[in-house]
């Protein structure tokens, strides 16, 4: 979890060009276990931007060092808030969607956000 949060925070910080804080970890989907001794890789990207928040999708991969077999083990959705120098929420630059994949992931993130709003009290 720590690796996922740090990697996703770096993606959010890069996009916002500044400090961020984790607002929520909305979902962690464990597809397969990661075994002791495997190499773990986390890749993340900003997939949706609100006024001050960003949705980040992180994917986790495990590789068996001896065989080179690589597996997609986890998918995680996180939300970050951009902070100004005083620590208050601050505007986030717009997300430029250039590919069909980016547009699809953005639509998925919007649907997820809307669903979470319905589920939360």
């Amino acid at each position: 979890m720590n690796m996922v949060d740090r990697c996703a925070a770096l993606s959010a910080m890069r996009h916002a060009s500044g400090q961020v804080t984790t607002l929520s970890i909305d979902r962690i989907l464990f597809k397969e276990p990661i075994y002791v001794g495997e190499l773990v890789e986390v890749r993340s990207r900003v997939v949706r931007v609100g006024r001050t928040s960003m949705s980040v999708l992180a994917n986790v991969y495990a590789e068996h060092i001896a065989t080179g077999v690589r597996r997609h083990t986890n998918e995680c959705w996180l939300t970050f808030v951009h902070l100004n120098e005083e620590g208050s929420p601050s505007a986030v630059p717009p997300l430029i969607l250039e590919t069909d994949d980016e547009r699809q992931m953005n639509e998925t993130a919007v649907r997820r956000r809307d669903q979470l709003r319905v589920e939360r009290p």
Side-chain angles (χ1 to χ4, degrees), residues 100-117:
D100 288 340
D101 180 56
E102 291 171 342
R103 286 184 279 279
Q104 181 182 3
M105 292 310 303
N106 181 264
E107 290 172 12
T108 299
V110 169
R111 284 193 305 273
R112 288 183 53 73
R113 181 207 59 206
D114 292 344
Q115 184 62 36
L116 286 171
R117 285 183 174 169

Side-chain angles (χ1 to χ4, degrees), residues 36-60:
V36 174
E38 288 187 311
L39 177 66
V40 177
E41 175 186 6
V42 181
R43 291 184 173 216
S44 65
R45 61 181 172 159
V46 175
V47 294
R48 186 197 69 80
V49 165
R51 191 177 65 76
T52 62
S53 66
M54 293 161 278
S55 296
V56 178
L57 174 61
N59 286 290
V60 181

Side-chain angles (χ1 to χ4, degrees), residues 58-73:
N59 286 290
V60 181
Y61 303 89
E63 181 179 328
H64 187 276
I65 300 292
T67 65
V69 173
R70 189 171 186 263
R71 302 171 291 114
H72 182 215
T73 60

Side-chain angles (χ1 to χ4, degrees), residues 85-97:
E85 294 79 22
E86 291 80 38
S88 299
S90 181
V92 178
L95 185 61
I96 299 169
L97 304 171

